[in-house]
Amino acid sequence: MTLTSLLSATILSLGVLAATPVLAADTRADLMTQHRGGTLKLNAHGSAGTIDPQINYETQFWTIFYVTNDGLLGFKKVEGKESNTVVPDLAEALPKPEDGGKTYVFKLRDGLKFSNGKDITPADVVASFQRIFKVSSPTAGSFYNGIVGADACLKDAATCTLKDGVVADDKARTITFHLTQPDAEFFYKLSVPHATILPADTVAKDLGTTPPVATGPYMIASYDPDHGMKIVRNPYFKEFSVDAQPDGYVDEMDYNFGLDDQAGLTAVLNDQADWTFDPPPSDRLGELGSKYAKQVRIHPLLAYYYLPMNTNLAPFNNLKARQAVAYAIDRKAVVGLWGGPNLASPLCQQLPVGMSGHEDYCPYTLNPGSKWTAPDLEKAKQLVEESGTKGQKVTLIGDDKAVPKAIATYVQGVLRDIGYDASLKVVSHNIQFTYLQNTNNNVQIGVSDWYQDYPAPSDFLNVLFGCDSFHPGSDSSINMSGWCDKGVDAEMKQAMLTAVTDDAAANKMWAKIDKEITDAAPAAALFQPKEIDVISKRVGNFVYTDQFHMLFSAAWVK
């Protein structure tokens, strides 16, 4: 049995340890009395950029925002698949659609306060949605462009009002949204951190390292991206919905940045830290499986690692050059770098297995068909020759975390093997994601990853490859390849509209779109990972969700 097999088999046999029972209200109250208090110690190799919840687009900090901030709606804070369910958050209820699905009226709960002590009002909601456009949120053009008036805001953010799209009634405590057309994913889009409700007087620029005003059980007290983050209780929080935003057990969370993957894992195993964001190095998997299995949790993910290629710069403005990369990658080797076949699986297309609309498809393999079998290096070399790009200089952008850096080093070798003069530029993890996005950096190709925002195929295909997600000269341009195909873009908009009335038909459309994007190769898919969490012996009530990953507010420490 391989080391990774040992780890996976051991953990799977102990799967019951990872399960968290649904607690009755009185039982939960007793547990809160018994376990409330203490400090949860978190680790990561690096930080994840800005702590502005309407701008940051990193899983690492979204897990924090989910316990510090709220939208009108939220995802249910429970374990497993049910965490994909949308529930009322700052709003009293899920409103019924009006005007054929183009109008929704939300009513704020009574008694809500920000962490600065001010009441939450409908005016704050309106200002928050205006701010999405004013700060050029990465999803302004893909999530919120269906709000009436959004087109004007996208053209001139500084004068954004959404006056006919988001309408407040302070006396009735209601906010009415008017859409240009029905949107089957509208509730999902109101549940992610980019739709966070902030005070109306929040500055209309990136907060950077300034902690945002909070609404959840916790608030960020301080943040130094080079050293750490301190998260404390919000003194004005009163639990208003156990589904949307339950109170937390620990009094404080200290998030330390700076330990590398090896040292971070060792700190957890020695109970000097309670959890680390970074996946364990593959050379430690055997140790985890044999000595620390009770502290390890493995979870499936709707996510993938991929190589975005800049379709507006040589050599990858040439289709054959991009396809050559997709053919040349030995996905089995890359899976091995992640930890082996029990912890990841090869992927050739943009939609991961398990996502609606996914139909197995792999044109970039030795025997094209539904599954990846082996790289086709000769085909790749032939395509590079035909493209006329052989010998060109290519700089690959990687990050400095151990596993992603190893993947980038491997890809650099592949690029050389197929005929490019390839070099590797490694940048700090806390800036790599935004560095890849900004066209001013002239990135040709990079190693990146994508985790679902919510369970819909558009969250991969439209967000990563839609024309509305490409913003030249901006750190908020999640369409890193700069690929904009007007025909495919129209198909994606039609699929989203079809989903309002016919999910099955929409999923068929998404499957076709997935194939079209894969054929155009603006990115080469690598693999679909699983999440590996290692926790200290101090941690109790570990809860893992599809949306939030480790739910920090649910954990207690001994």
Side-chain angles (χ1 to χ4, degrees):
M1 180 179 283
T2 65
L3 295 181
T4 53
S5 296
L6 173 62
L7 173 65
S8 295
T10 307
I11 299 307
L12 290 173
S13 70
L14 295 170
V16 66
L17 295 176
T20 301
V22 177
L23 303 176
D26 56 343
T27 304
R28 184 169 174 274
D30 292 341
L31 288 172
M32 187 63 74
T33 301
Q34 296 171 30
H35 297 289
R36 189 178 178 90
T39 299
L40 185 67
K41 299 175 183 179
L42 312 174
N43 262 348
H45 178 49
S47 60
T50 177
I51 52 172
D52 192 318
Q54 293 191 319
I55 295 176
N56 187 285
Y57 213 172
E58 292 266 20
T59 299
Q60 181 179 347
F61 280 1
W62 274 32
T63 59
I64 298 296
F65 298 145
Y66 277 125
V67 297
T68 60
N69 292 87
D70 299 86
L72 290 171
L73 305 178
F75 291 103
K76 193 173 183 179
K77 289 187 168 64
V78 292
E79 192 152 42
K81 294 297 181 185
E82 200 178 348
S83 65
N84 292 314
T85 303
V86 173
V87 296
D89 196 334
L90 298 180
E92 283 186 347
L94 297 176
K96 294 181 179 179
E98 302 175 18
D99 188 26
K102 294 192 292 184
T103 297
Y104 293 91
V105 181
F106 296 86
K107 185 175 182 181
L108 283 177
R109 298 177 190 268
D110 292 326
L112 297 172
K113 289 185 178 293
F114 289 112
S115 57
N116 61 8
K118 293 182 179 180
D119 292 336
I120 301 174
T121 69
D124 295 312
V125 177
V126 173
S128 295
F129 277 85
Q130 293 170 344
R131 187 176 184 274
I132 288 171
F133 295 92
K134 291 180 178 180
V135 300
S136 298
S137 174
T139 53
S142 53
F143 283 10
Y144 308 107
N145 56 337
I147 298 172
V148 170
D151 53 347
C153 292
L154 289 167
K155 291 176 182 176
D156 187 358
T159 61
C160 179
T161 65
L162 297 174
K163 67 182 182 66
D164 296 318
V166 187
V167 182
D169 185 330
D170 288 323
K171 186 175 181 180
R173 292 185 59 75
T174 62
I175 308 95
T176 301
F177 285 79
H178 296 289
L179 308 181
T180 58
Q181 62 184 18
D183 183 354
E185 300 170 14
F186 186 57
F187 283 2
Y188 285 146
K189 295 169 183 176
L190 297 187
S191 302
V192 300
H194 289 166
T196 287
I197 305 306
L198 298 169
D201 59 1
T202 303
V203 294
K205 63 180 182 180
D206 188 350
L207 293 175
T209 60
T210 301
V213 175
T215 51
Y218 298 100
M219 63 184 193
I220 299 172
S222 62
Y223 172 54
D224 179 342
D226 294 323
H227 296 97
M229 178 189 296
K230 177 171 284 191
I231 301 148
V232 300
R233 287 195 183 275
N234 170 4
Y236 290 95
F237 177 79
K238 293 181 179 179
E239 187 176 270
F240 51 81
S241 168
V242 69
D243 285 341
Q245 195 61 282
D247 197 3
Y249 286 97
V250 299
D251 287 336
E252 184 176 312
M253 289 176 259
D254 291 346
Y255 209 149
N256 176 64
F257 309 134
L259 294 180
D260 65 22
D261 310 51
Q262 293 280 359
L265 175 60
T266 298
V268 174
L269 298 178
N270 290 338
D271 290 333
Q272 296 167 323
D274 297 310
W275 173 88
T276 183
F277 173 76
D278 306 303
S282 56
D283 63 0
R284 304 286 296 273
L285 296 179
E287 173 192 7
L288 291 175
S290 61
K291 295 181 180 180
Y292 301 99
K294 291 183 179 181
Q295 293 171 240
V296 181
R297 307 290 185 268
I298 299 177
H299 317 277
L301 285 172
L302 288 175
Y304 82 137
Y305 273 70
Y306 70 113
L307 304 174
M309 291 174 273
N310 192 330
T311 61
N312 299 305
L313 285 179
F316 301 118
N317 56 354
N318 186 295
L319 173 61
K320 290 184 177 181
R322 300 194 302 270
Q323 290 176 329
V325 174
Y327 273 109
I329 296 294
D330 185 341
R331 289 167 174 82
K332 182 179 179 180
V334 181
V335 164
L337 293 172
W338 184 256
N342 291 300
L343 301 178
S345 54
L347 190 70
C348 293
Q349 60 202 100
Q350 314 308 322
L351 281 183
V353 177
M355 176 60 74
S356 299
H358 173 94
E359 293 180 1
D360 288 342
Y361 181 61
C362 189
Y364 303 117
T365 184
L366 190 60
N367 301 296
S370 61
K371 297 288 187 180
W372 185 85
T373 56
D376 191 339
L377 205 58
E378 292 309 310
K379 176 73 171 178
K381 291 178 180 178
Q382 176 189 338
L383 286 168
V384 171
E385 288 277 5
E386 292 175 0
S387 71
T389 63
K390 185 177 180 179
Q392 291 188 12
K393 291 183 180 295
V394 173
T395 300
L396 171 72
I397 306 299
D399 80 28
D400 59 353
K401 289 169 62 175
V403 176
K405 184 178 179 181
I407 293 171
T409 301
Y410 163 76
V411 174
Q412 178 194 11
V414 170
L415 291 171
R416 288 176 172 173
D417 287 344
I418 62 176
Y420 291 114
D421 181 3
S423 60
L424 173 61
K425 179 178 180 179
V426 175
V427 300
S428 175
H429 171 74
N430 68 332
I431 65 167
Q432 192 247 10
F433 184 65
T434 52
Y435 186 91
L436 289 175
Q437 295 178 59
N438 197 317
T439 55
N440 293 335
N441 296 322
N442 294 314
V443 173
Q444 295 166 292
I445 184 173
V447 178
S448 193
D449 58 77
W450 187 251
Y451 292 67
Q452 72 160 21
D453 300 321
Y454 55 79
S458 65
D459 187 52
F460 283 78
L461 303 181
N462 186 52
V463 171
L464 296 180
F465 304 105
C467 297
D468 293 328
S469 294
F470 180 52
H471 308 287
S474 169
D475 284 351
S476 297
S477 183
I478 196 62
N479 182 345
M480 297 176 185
S481 64
W483 185 77
C484 175
D485 184 299
K486 295 294 186 182
V488 173
D489 208 61
E491 289 181 56
M492 290 195 283
K493 287 179 169 57
Q494 185 59 48
M496 287 186 281
L497 186 59
T498 300
V500 174
T501 56
D502 192 338
D503 269 338
N507 288 337
K508 285 293 184 184
M509 296 172 71
W510 286 117
K512 176 176 178 288
I513 293 165
D514 185 23
K515 293 182 176 74
E516 290 172 339
I517 295 175
T518 298
D519 288 346
L526 298 176
F527 66 93
Q528 183 170 348
K530 291 183 180 178
E531 178 92 349
I532 312 169
D533 284 303
V534 184
I535 55 177
S536 75
K537 292 189 291 290
R538 298 190 335 130
V539 175
N541 204 44
F542 176 90
V543 173
Y544 182 87
T545 83
D546 280 1
Q547 288 298 140
F548 325 112
H549 302 267
M550 180 178 177
L551 181 57
F552 297 129
S553 59
W556 62 63
V557 291
K558 301 171 186 176

Short mmCIF file of all heavy atoms in Angstrom, two decimals, residues 322-369:
data_model
loop_
_atom_site.label_atom_id
_atom_site.label_comp_id
_atom_site.label_asym_id
_atom_site.label_seq_id
_atom_site.Cartn_x
_atom_site.Cartn_y
_atom_site.Cartn_z
N ARG A 322 -1.47 26.89 -27.30
CA ARG A 322 -2.20 26.58 -26.07
C ARG A 322 -2.56 25.09 -26.02
O ARG A 322 -2.44 24.44 -24.97
CB ARG A 322 -3.47 27.43 -25.98
CG ARG A 322 -3.22 28.92 -25.97
CD ARG A 322 -4.45 29.70 -25.53
NE ARG A 322 -5.63 29.50 -26.34
CZ ARG A 322 -5.95 30.21 -27.41
NH1 ARG A 322 -5.12 31.16 -27.84
NH2 ARG A 322 -7.07 29.99 -28.08
N GLN A 323 -3.01 24.57 -27.16
CA GLN A 323 -3.37 23.15 -27.19
C GLN A 323 -2.14 22.27 -26.96
O GLN A 323 -2.25 21.20 -26.35
CB GLN A 323 -4.02 22.82 -28.53
CG GLN A 323 -5.41 23.44 -28.70
CD GLN A 323 -6.00 23.19 -30.07
OE1 GLN A 323 -5.27 23.08 -31.06
NE2 GLN A 323 -7.32 23.11 -30.14
N ALA A 324 -0.99 22.72 -27.41
CA ALA A 324 0.24 21.96 -27.20
C ALA A 324 0.51 21.76 -25.71
O ALA A 324 0.88 20.67 -25.26
CB ALA A 324 1.42 22.68 -27.86
N VAL A 325 0.31 22.81 -24.93
CA VAL A 325 0.52 22.71 -23.49
C VAL A 325 -0.45 21.69 -22.89
O VAL A 325 -0.08 20.85 -22.07
CB VAL A 325 0.34 24.09 -22.81
CG1 VAL A 325 0.40 23.95 -21.29
CG2 VAL A 325 1.40 25.06 -23.31
N ALA A 326 -1.72 21.76 -23.30
CA ALA A 326 -2.73 20.84 -22.77
C ALA A 326 -2.41 19.38 -23.10
O ALA A 326 -2.65 18.49 -22.29
CB ALA A 326 -4.11 21.22 -23.32
N TYR A 327 -1.87 19.13 -24.29
CA TYR A 327 -1.48 17.76 -24.67
C TYR A 327 -0.25 17.28 -23.89
O TYR A 327 -0.13 16.09 -23.58
CB TYR A 327 -1.15 17.69 -26.16
CG TYR A 327 -2.33 17.44 -27.07
CD1 TYR A 327 -2.82 18.44 -27.91
CD2 TYR A 327 -2.95 16.19 -27.11
CE1 TYR A 327 -3.90 18.22 -28.76
CE2 TYR A 327 -4.02 15.95 -27.96
CZ TYR A 327 -4.50 16.96 -28.77
OH TYR A 327 -5.57 16.73 -29.60
N ALA A 328 0.67 18.19 -23.60
CA ALA A 328 1.98 17.80 -23.06
C ALA A 328 1.96 17.46 -21.57
O ALA A 328 2.83 16.73 -21.09
CB ALA A 328 2.99 18.92 -23.32
N ILE A 329 0.99 17.98 -20.84
CA ILE A 329 0.99 17.81 -19.38
C ILE A 329 0.73 16.35 -19.00
O ILE A 329 -0.24 15.74 -19.45
CB ILE A 329 -0.08 18.70 -18.73
CG1 ILE A 329 0.25 20.19 -18.95
CG2 ILE A 329 -0.21 18.39 -17.24
CD1 ILE A 329 1.50 20.66 -18.26
N ASP A 330 1.60 15.81 -18.19
CA ASP A 330 1.38 14.48 -17.62
C ASP A 330 0.58 14.67 -16.33
O ASP A 330 1.14 14.95 -15.27
CB ASP A 330 2.73 13.80 -17.33
CG ASP A 330 2.55 12.37 -16.83
OD1 ASP A 330 1.45 12.02 -16.38
OD2 ASP A 330 3.53 11.60 -16.88
N ARG A 331 -0.72 14.55 -16.45
CA ARG A 331 -1.60 14.83 -15.31
C ARG A 331 -1.40 13.83 -14.16
O ARG A 331 -1.63 14.16 -13.01
CB ARG A 331 -3.05 14.89 -15.78
CG ARG A 331 -3.32 16.15 -16.61
CD ARG A 331 -4.64 16.12 -17.35
NE ARG A 331 -4.90 17.39 -18.03
CZ ARG A 331 -4.40 17.74 -19.21
NH1 ARG A 331 -3.62 16.88 -19.86
NH2 ARG A 331 -4.67 18.91 -19.75
N LYS A 332 -0.97 12.62 -14.51
CA LYS A 332 -0.67 11.65 -13.46
C LYS A 332 0.50 12.13 -12.61
O LYS A 332 0.50 11.99 -11.38
CB LYS A 332 -0.35 10.29 -14.08
CG LYS A 332 -0.07 9.20 -13.06
CD LYS A 332 0.21 7.85 -13.74
CE LYS A 332 0.51 6.76 -12.71
NZ LYS A 332 0.80 5.45 -13.37
N ALA A 333 1.50 12.71 -13.26
CA ALA A 333 2.65 13.23 -12.53
C ALA A 333 2.24 14.39 -11.62
O ALA A 333 2.71 14.51 -10.48
CB ALA A 333 3.73 13.69 -13.52
N VAL A 334 1.36 15.26 -12.12
CA VAL A 334 0.92 16.40 -11.32
C VAL A 334 0.09 15.93 -10.13
O VAL A 334 0.21 16.45 -9.01
CB VAL A 334 0.14 17.41 -12.19
CG1 VAL A 334 -0.30 18.60 -11.36
CG2 VAL A 334 1.00 17.88 -13.36
N VAL A 335 -0.78 14.94 -10.36
CA VAL A 335 -1.54 14.35 -9.27
C VAL A 335 -0.59 13.79 -8.21
O VAL A 335 -0.83 13.92 -7.00
CB VAL A 335 -2.49 13.25 -9.80
CG1 VAL A 335 -3.00 12.36 -8.66
CG2 VAL A 335 -3.67 13.88 -10.53
N GLY A 336 0.50 13.19 -8.65
CA GLY A 336 1.50 12.67 -7.72
C GLY A 336 2.11 13.76 -6.86
O GLY A 336 2.37 13.56 -5.67
N LEU A 337 2.32 14.94 -7.45
CA LEU A 337 2.87 16.05 -6.69
C LEU A 337 1.89 16.52 -5.61
O LEU A 337 2.30 17.01 -4.56
CB LEU A 337 3.22 17.21 -7.63
CG LEU A 337 4.36 16.95 -8.60
CD1 LEU A 337 4.49 18.10 -9.60
CD2 LEU A 337 5.68 16.75 -7.86
N TRP A 338 0.59 16.39 -5.88
CA TRP A 338 -0.43 16.80 -4.91
C TRP A 338 -0.55 15.78 -3.77
O TRP A 338 -0.95 16.13 -2.67
CB TRP A 338 -1.77 16.99 -5.60
CG TRP A 338 -2.84 17.51 -4.70
CD1 TRP A 338 -3.87 16.82 -4.13
CD2 TRP A 338 -3.00 18.86 -4.26
NE1 TRP A 338 -4.66 17.64 -3.36
CE2 TRP A 338 -4.14 18.90 -3.43
CE3 TRP A 338 -2.27 20.04 -4.48
CZ2 TRP A 338 -4.57 20.09 -2.82
CZ3 TRP A 338 -2.71 21.21 -3.87
CH2 TRP A 338 -3.85 21.23 -3.06
N GLY A 339 -0.19 14.53 -4.04
CA GLY A 339 -0.28 13.52 -3.00
C GLY A 339 -0.76 12.18 -3.46
O GLY A 339 -0.89 11.26 -2.66
N GLY A 340 -1.05 12.03 -4.77
CA GLY A 340 -1.43 10.74 -5.29
C GLY A 340 -2.90 10.61 -5.62
O GLY A 340 -3.70 11.51 -5.35
N PRO A 341 -3.28 9.49 -6.23
CA PRO A 341 -4.63 9.33 -6.78
C PRO A 341 -5.75 9.28 -5.74
O PRO A 341 -6.91 9.42 -6.10
CB PRO A 341 -4.53 8.00 -7.55
CG PRO A 341 -3.37 7.28 -6.93
CD PRO A 341 -2.41 8.34 -6.52
N ASN A 342 -5.42 9.07 -4.47
CA ASN A 342 -6.47 9.12 -3.45
C ASN A 342 -6.79 10.54 -3.01
O ASN A 342 -7.76 10.78 -2.31
CB ASN A 342 -6.05 8.29 -2.23
CG ASN A 342 -6.04 6.81 -2.52
OD1 ASN A 342 -7.06 6.23 -2.88
ND2 ASN A 342 -4.87 6.20 -2.42
N LEU A 343 -5.94 11.48 -3.42
CA LEU A 343 -6.11 12.86 -2.99
C LEU A 343 -6.37 13.82 -4.15
O LEU A 343 -6.58 15.01 -3.93
CB LEU A 343 -4.87 13.31 -2.22
CG LEU A 343 -4.54 12.49 -0.96
CD1 LEU A 343 -3.27 13.00 -0.31
CD2 LEU A 343 -5.70 12.51 0.02
N ALA A 344 -6.35 13.30 -5.38
CA ALA A 344 -6.63 14.14 -6.55
C ALA A 344 -6.87 13.23 -7.74
O ALA A 344 -6.50 12.05 -7.73
CB ALA A 344 -5.46 15.09 -6.82
N SER A 345 -7.45 13.78 -8.79
CA SER A 345 -7.69 13.01 -10.01
C SER A 345 -7.45 13.89 -11.23
O SER A 345 -7.72 15.10 -11.20
CB SER A 345 -9.12 12.45 -10.04
OG SER A 345 -10.06 13.49 -9.86
N PRO A 346 -6.91 13.32 -12.32
CA PRO A 346 -6.64 14.11 -13.52
C PRO A 346 -7.92 14.75 -14.07
O PRO A 346 -9.01 14.17 -13.98
CB PRO A 346 -6.09 13.09 -14.51
CG PRO A 346 -5.57 11.97 -13.67
CD PRO A 346 -6.50 11.92 -12.49
N LEU A 347 -7.79 15.92 -14.64
CA LEU A 347 -8.93 16.63 -15.23
C LEU A 347 -8.47 17.31 -16.50
O LEU A 347 -7.42 17.96 -16.52
CB LEU A 347 -9.49 17.66 -14.24
CG LEU A 347 -10.82 18.30 -14.59
CD1 LEU A 347 -11.97 17.30 -14.47
CD2 LEU A 347 -11.10 19.51 -13.70
N CYS A 348 -9.26 17.17 -17.57
CA CYS A 348 -8.91 17.78 -18.87
C CYS A 348 -9.78 18.99 -19.20
O CYS A 348 -9.46 19.73 -20.12
CB CYS A 348 -9.11 16.76 -19.99
SG CYS A 348 -7.97 15.38 -19.94
N GLN A 349 -10.90 19.14 -18.50
CA GLN A 349 -11.88 20.15 -18.87
C GLN A 349 -12.07 21.14 -17.73
O GLN A 349 -11.48 21.00 -16.66
CB GLN A 349 -13.20 19.46 -19.20
CG GLN A 349 -13.78 18.66 -18.03
CD GLN A 349 -14.75 17.58 -18.47
OE1 GLN A 349 -14.39 16.41 -18.55
NE2 GLN A 349 -15.99 17.97 -18.75
N GLN A 350 -12.91 22.16 -17.96
CA GLN A 350 -13.01 23.25 -17.00
C GLN A 350 -14.04 22.98 -15.89
O GLN A 350 -13.94 23.56 -14.81
CB GLN A 350 -13.35 24.56 -17.72
CG GLN A 350 -12.53 24.84 -18.96
CD GLN A 350 -11.02 24.75 -18.74
OE1 GLN A 350 -10.52 25.15 -17.70
NE2 GLN A 350 -10.31 24.21 -19.72
N LEU A 351 -15.03 22.14 -16.14
CA LEU A 351 -16.00 21.80 -15.11
C LEU A 351 -15.54 20.57 -14.34
O LEU A 351 -15.29 19.52 -14.94
CB LEU A 351 -17.38 21.52 -15.72
CG LEU A 351 -18.25 22.71 -16.12
CD1 LEU A 351 -19.61 22.23 -16.64
CD2 LEU A 351 -18.45 23.68 -14.95
N PRO A 352 -15.43 20.66 -13.01
CA PRO A 352 -14.99 19.50 -12.23
C PRO A 352 -16.06 18.42 -12.15
O PRO A 352 -17.26 18.70 -12.33
CB PRO A 352 -14.71 20.10 -10.85
CG PRO A 352 -15.59 21.30 -10.76
CD PRO A 352 -15.66 21.85 -12.17
N VAL A 353 -15.64 17.22 -11.86
CA VAL A 353 -16.57 16.11 -11.66
C VAL A 353 -17.46 16.42 -10.45
O VAL A 353 -16.98 16.88 -9.41
CB VAL A 353 -15.80 14.80 -11.40
CG1 VAL A 353 -16.76 13.65 -11.11
CG2 VAL A 353 -14.91 14.47 -12.59
N GLY A 354 -18.76 16.19 -10.61
CA GLY A 354 -19.70 16.48 -9.55
C GLY A 354 -20.45 17.78 -9.73
O GLY A 354 -21.49 18.00 -9.09
N MET A 355 -19.95 18.65 -10.60
CA MET A 355 -20.64 19.91 -10.88
C MET A 355 -21.72 19.68 -11.93
O MET A 355 -21.52 18.92 -12.89
CB MET A 355 -19.64 20.96 -11.38
CG MET A 355 -20.26 22.28 -11.80
SD MET A 355 -21.16 23.12 -10.48
CE MET A 355 -19.82 23.73 -9.46
N SER A 356 -22.86 20.29 -11.74
CA SER A 356 -23.94 20.21 -12.73
C SER A 356 -23.38 20.60 -14.10
O SER A 356 -22.61 21.55 -14.22
CB SER A 356 -25.08 21.16 -12.36
OG SER A 356 -25.62 20.81 -11.11
N GLY A 357 -23.77 19.85 -15.12
CA GLY A 357 -23.30 20.14 -16.47
C GLY A 357 -22.02 19.43 -16.85
O GLY A 357 -21.64 19.44 -18.03
N HIS A 358 -21.38 18.78 -15.89
CA HIS A 358 -20.15 18.06 -16.22
C HIS A 358 -20.46 16.79 -17.00
O HIS A 358 -21.26 15.96 -16.56
CB HIS A 358 -19.37 17.69 -14.96
CG HIS A 358 -18.19 16.81 -15.23
ND1 HIS A 358 -16.92 17.31 -15.42
CD2 HIS A 358 -18.08 15.46 -15.37
CE1 HIS A 358 -16.08 16.32 -15.66
NE2 HIS A 358 -16.75 15.18 -15.64
N GLU A 359 -19.85 16.65 -18.14
CA GLU A 359 -19.86 15.40 -18.91
C GLU A 359 -18.41 15.10 -19.25
O GLU A 359 -17.71 15.93 -19.81
CB GLU A 359 -20.69 15.53 -20.20
CG GLU A 359 -22.18 15.73 -19.94
CD GLU A 359 -22.98 15.87 -21.24
OE1 GLU A 359 -22.36 15.79 -22.32
OE2 GLU A 359 -24.21 16.07 -21.16
N ASP A 360 -17.94 13.92 -18.86
CA ASP A 360 -16.53 13.57 -19.05
C ASP A 360 -16.08 13.86 -20.48
O ASP A 360 -16.71 13.44 -21.45
CB ASP A 360 -16.30 12.09 -18.74
CG ASP A 360 -16.40 11.78 -17.25
OD1 ASP A 360 -16.31 12.72 -16.44
OD2 ASP A 360 -16.59 10.61 -16.90
N TYR A 361 -14.95 14.57 -20.59
CA TYR A 361 -14.46 14.99 -21.90
C TYR A 361 -12.96 15.24 -21.80
O TYR A 361 -12.50 15.99 -20.93
CB TYR A 361 -15.16 16.28 -22.33
CG TYR A 361 -14.75 16.81 -23.69
CD1 TYR A 361 -14.93 16.06 -24.85
CD2 TYR A 361 -14.19 18.08 -23.82
CE1 TYR A 361 -14.57 16.55 -26.10
CE2 TYR A 361 -13.82 18.59 -25.06
CZ TYR A 361 -14.02 17.82 -26.20
OH TYR A 361 -13.66 18.31 -27.44
N CYS A 362 -12.19 14.59 -22.66
CA CYS A 362 -10.75 14.80 -22.64
C CYS A 362 -10.16 14.68 -24.05
O CYS A 362 -9.78 13.59 -24.49
CB CYS A 362 -10.06 13.81 -21.70
SG CYS A 362 -8.31 14.22 -21.48
N PRO A 363 -10.07 15.81 -24.76
CA PRO A 363 -9.43 15.77 -26.08
C PRO A 363 -7.91 15.79 -25.99
O PRO A 363 -7.24 15.44 -26.97
CB PRO A 363 -9.95 17.06 -26.73
CG PRO A 363 -10.18 17.99 -25.58
CD PRO A 363 -10.63 17.13 -24.43
N TYR A 364 -7.35 16.20 -24.83
CA TYR A 364 -5.91 16.39 -24.72
C TYR A 364 -5.25 15.22 -24.00
O TYR A 364 -4.79 15.32 -22.85
CB TYR A 364 -5.62 17.71 -23.99
CG TYR A 364 -6.25 18.89 -24.66
CD1 TYR A 364 -7.22 19.66 -24.02
CD2 TYR A 364 -5.91 19.24 -25.97
CE1 TYR A 364 -7.81 20.74 -24.64
CE2 TYR A 364 -6.49 20.32 -26.61
CZ TYR A 364 -7.45 21.07 -25.94
OH TYR A 364 -8.03 22.13 -26.57
N THR A 365 -5.19 14.10 -24.70
CA THR A 365 -4.59 12.90 -24.15
C THR A 365 -4.15 12.01 -25.31
O THR A 365 -4.52 12.25 -26.47
CB THR A 365 -5.57 12.16 -23.22
OG1 THR A 365 -4.94 11.04 -22.63
CG2 THR A 365 -6.82 11.72 -23.96
N LEU A 366 -3.38 11.00 -25.00
CA LEU A 366 -2.85 10.13 -26.05
C LEU A 366 -3.98 9.47 -26.84
O LEU A 366 -3.88 9.30 -28.05
CB LEU A 366 -1.94 9.08 -25.42
CG LEU A 366 -1.13 8.22 -26.39
CD1 LEU A 366 -0.19 9.08 -27.23
CD2 LEU A 366 -0.31 7.17 -25.61
N ASN A 367 -5.05 9.11 -26.15
CA ASN A 367 -6.21 8.53 -26.81
C ASN A 367 -7.44 9.37 -26.47
O ASN A 367 -8.13 9.08 -25.49
CB ASN A 367 -6.42 7.08 -26.34
CG ASN A 367 -5.20 6.21 -26.65
OD1 ASN A 367 -4.87 6.00 -27.80
ND2 ASN A 367 -4.54 5.72 -25.60
N PRO A 368 -7.70 10.44 -27.22
CA PRO A 368 -8.78 11.36 -26.89
C PRO A 368 -10.12 10.64 -26.71
O PRO A 368 -10.45 9.71 -27.43
CB PRO A 368 -8.82 12.30 -28.09
CG PRO A 368 -7.42 12.26 -28.63
CD PRO A 368 -6.96 10.85 -28.43
N GLY A 369 -10.86 11.10 -25.71
CA GLY A 369 -12.15 10.49 -25.40
C GLY A 369 -12.73 11.11 -24.15
O GLY A 369 -12.67 12.33 -23.98
#
